Amino acid sequence: MAARIEGSVLSRLKTIFLFYAVFSVAVGVVATVGAPYGSRGVRVGVAVGLAGLTVHWLVGWSRDRFPGRVEPLEWVVLAAPGLVVESPAENAGYFGALLFRSYYGTRRQFWCRLVLVQLVPLVRVVGPRPITPGEFVAVVSFGLLVPPMVRFLRGIGERNGRLIARERTQLAGAERLSVAADRPAVYDVAVATAAELTGAPAPDRVLLLTPPWGGRPAEGKAPPGSGPPAEGKAPPGSGPPAEGIPPDLLVRLTGPLVDHLDAADHARLRDAVGLPPAPGGLLLVPITAAGRHLGAFGVSGEPHPPADATSSLVAWGARVAEALRRVDLHAELTFRAYHDPLTTLANRALLESRLEQALGERRSAGQVALLLLDLDGFKQVNDVHGHPAGDELLRAIAARLRGCVRGTDTVARLGGDEFAILLSGVDDPELVATTADRVVAAIREPIDVEGRTVAVGVSVGVAVAEPGATAGVRELIRAGDQAMYRRKATRAGGWERYEAGLRR
């Protein structure tokens, strides 16, 4: 009971009128037992019926529903005291029941109730003391006016209850958003909470559409480009809109206001973003923050969510937008902390972290090889063509280095014209030499820079930690440095392996 009293306004009103109805019936029971009319058996039977009715009300109130077929019997029981009591005031259970029971039932039951409640004054007409015309009009009027009034209050209470429930849903979702560490986690919370707010009967009716305009239903994969930043890739959210979306739909998709696509436009949009078809139209609710459009919720099918649910979805979109900005900022700062800003390759900190991890796994994952690169002739490019040309050359070399390694390897820029490549889990003894040859050949190829063709060389030092070796990060880097400087001293370029051996 305490939980219900602390609930919505509607549940509190139901509780208040339950107490009033039970009190009214208790008064009716006392009046019936002591009534001067009718046999003792009749009076006791009526009192027992009223007591049973009270139990029925308590059970229905606890379940928040009443079986519709039983209601006619309720009004028969409530009308029965009119056969033995003298005054309509002693038939008080009727008034409490009318107030309480009008908070339950469907529209059909509402109209049936308007008819059933008239049993009470009709029984009074044939009672021991016939009801006066004035009393009859008063009781009939009460029975006709109270149900519509209570139904109106019930509607207000239900709306209030929905608003409170949606606010609680948003607060619970906001708490989950606060601990979401990346975009996929934000998407999961955003879509699940949006489905609750709209009351969508099927979770897949709710979509989250985000740049570059992939779609995420309640179950499925995150939109394209939503994962954490990987080596050599730009931070999240920096990609252009996906191609293939018709311009008219893209304008509506990125609009600042709530919009509705009809079934045909909805089908075109789903086809453009690669989602399976769904019936009906699509309600679009923008997700914006500080004037920046970050995506949109889409609720498909008919009927559309009610206006108050749409308003809640707009407010939820603002919370999601703030969460997306937070995780994007965190991802961007993390990306900058571990990547070179010019080439977007891993920086020294990320390289050493991955090298330490690889060395920790080398006992079961094969050799770990580190290639340290120093460009030959880069200073001349800077001096002759300028620093912008040197920057473009570094970006071109970074792209070539990525093409020389496996997807699991790490390419890093250590600063200036120095690069590094980490090969982990090497099982093929020829892989290190093959990769070094490929790197030297790729960098020696002429490169077009600002309309000019330039060529540079490279000196590469290779250090390999065998399985079981105890060499650490610093020792492996020092070995690679020594091999690289020996090769550079020859002025011939190419690569050289550290041959002194690493500690076992």
Side-chain angles (χ1 to χ4, degrees):
M1 182 180 296
R4 294 184 60 86
I5 293 176
E6 293 173 2
S8 67
V9 171
L10 182 62
S11 66
R12 293 180 184 183
L13 288 173
K14 290 178 179 178
T15 302
I16 290 171
F17 285 113
L18 169 70
F19 289 156
Y20 177 60
V22 171
F23 174 77
S24 301
V25 168
V27 172
V29 169
V30 173
T32 299
V33 172
Y37 304 104
S39 66
R40 182 176 181 179
V42 171
R43 295 197 305 271
V44 171
V46 172
V48 170
L50 292 173
L53 182 60
T54 301
V55 174
H56 170 69
W57 284 345
L58 289 170
V59 172
W61 171 82
S62 66
R63 297 176 178 175
D64 202 31
R65 61 183 177 83
F66 286 88
R69 297 177 180 178
V70 180
E71 185 167 357
L73 182 60
E74 294 181 47
W75 295 105
V76 170
V77 172
L78 288 167
L83 298 173
V84 295
V85 297
E86 185 174 7
S87 169
E90 295 174 326
N91 209 164
Y94 159 75
F95 301 105
L98 192 57
L99 289 168
F100 171 63
R101 288 296 278 112
S102 294
Y103 277 98
Y104 295 90
T106 63
R107 184 185 299 272
R108 179 182 178 184
Q109 289 172 330
F110 165 77
W111 292 109
C112 292
R113 187 174 298 131
L114 289 180
V115 176
L116 291 171
V117 296
Q118 306 311 322
L119 284 174
V120 174
L122 289 176
V123 170
R124 296 294 308 178
V125 171
V126 298
R129 186 183 71 81
I131 191 171
T132 66
E135 291 172 336
F136 183 84
V137 171
V139 175
V140 170
S141 300
F142 188 83
L144 292 176
L145 294 177
V146 168
M149 179 188 70
V150 173
R151 187 172 181 85
F152 174 75
L153 294 176
R154 171 184 169 184
I156 295 176
E158 288 175 344
R159 285 193 295 272
N160 178 271
R162 288 193 297 268
L163 289 175
I164 292 175
R166 291 192 180 104
E167 184 61 28
R168 289 176 176 172
T169 298
Q170 288 198 55
L171 290 175
E175 185 175 354
R176 294 169 60 197
L177 281 180
S178 66
V179 297
D182 51 29
R183 276 188 167 240
V186 171
Y187 295 149
D188 287 338
V189 177
V191 175
T193 303
E196 289 186 54
L197 291 174
T198 57
D204 58 0
R205 281 190 56 189
V206 180
L207 300 173
L208 179 60
L209 300 160
T210 56
W213 303 116
R216 173 166 173 71
E219 300 293 338
K221 296 182 179 180
S226 62
E231 173 202 326
K233 296 184 179 180
S238 60
E243 298 180 359
I245 298 181
D248 60 319
L249 292 183
L250 188 59
V251 169
R252 299 178 69 179
L253 188 60
T254 57
L257 302 176
V258 175
D259 197 359
H260 173 253
L261 303 182
D262 60 24
D265 287 339
H266 181 200
R268 285 200 299 147
L269 177 63
R270 280 184 169 265
D271 182 64
V273 300
L275 289 173
L282 184 72
L283 179 70
L284 291 174
V285 179
I287 301 174
T288 57
R292 181 184 172 195
H293 194 283
L294 300 178
F297 286 115
V299 184
S300 62
E302 306 290 346
H304 299 310
D308 53 350
T310 303
S311 299
S312 296
L313 198 58
V314 171
W316 176 240
R319 293 179 186 263
V320 172
E322 289 300 325
L324 288 174
R325 290 182 64 194
R326 174 180 57 80
V327 297
D328 283 352
L329 178 60
H330 180 268
E332 183 178 355
L333 293 176
T334 302
F335 189 89
R336 290 180 180 180
Y338 291 102
H339 292 80
D340 172 57
L342 178 63
T343 62
T344 69
L345 294 177
N347 62 11
R348 182 181 293 272
L350 182 55
L351 173 71
E352 291 183 355
S353 174
R354 292 183 178 176
L355 180 56
E356 183 176 10
Q357 180 181 0
L359 290 174
E361 297 172 348
R362 68 182 179 273
R363 292 182 182 276
S364 59
Q367 296 176 329
V368 174
L370 179 65
L371 285 66
L372 295 181
L373 294 68
D374 189 89
L375 300 183
D376 300 327
F378 176 73
K379 184 177 183 301
Q380 288 79 358
V381 174
N382 260 347
D383 292 343
V384 174
H385 302 293
H387 289 285
D391 290 345
E392 185 175 341
L393 174 63
L394 292 174
R395 284 191 288 266
I397 288 176
R400 290 188 178 185
L401 291 178
R402 291 190 192 106
C404 294
V405 299
R406 303 168 299 174
T408 56
D409 299 328
T410 299
V411 181
R413 182 186 177 214
L414 305 183
D417 59 352
E418 297 181 359
F419 294 83
I421 296 175
L422 170 63
L423 307 178
S424 58
V426 177
D427 296 322
D428 181 3
E430 299 297 325
L431 176 64
V432 177
T434 301
T435 302
D437 288 334
R438 190 183 301 122
V439 166
V440 172
I443 293 181
R444 284 176 174 172
E445 286 290 326
I447 301 174
D448 289 331
V449 175
E450 295 187 343
R452 307 178 185 89
T453 300
V454 299
V456 294
V458 64
S459 298
V460 182
V462 179
V464 178
E466 300 288 345
T470 60
V473 172
R474 297 300 177 191
E475 187 173 356
L476 196 64
I477 292 176
R478 185 165 54 250
D481 268 335
Q482 291 179 12
M484 185 265 291
Y485 283 118
R486 281 201 302 269
R487 172 52 56 175
K488 198 169 187 67
T490 67
R491 299 182 180 276
W495 65 277
E496 182 171 325
R497 179 166 175 164
Y498 182 81
E499 298 294 351
L502 296 173
R503 290 185 293 115
R504 286 185 175 273

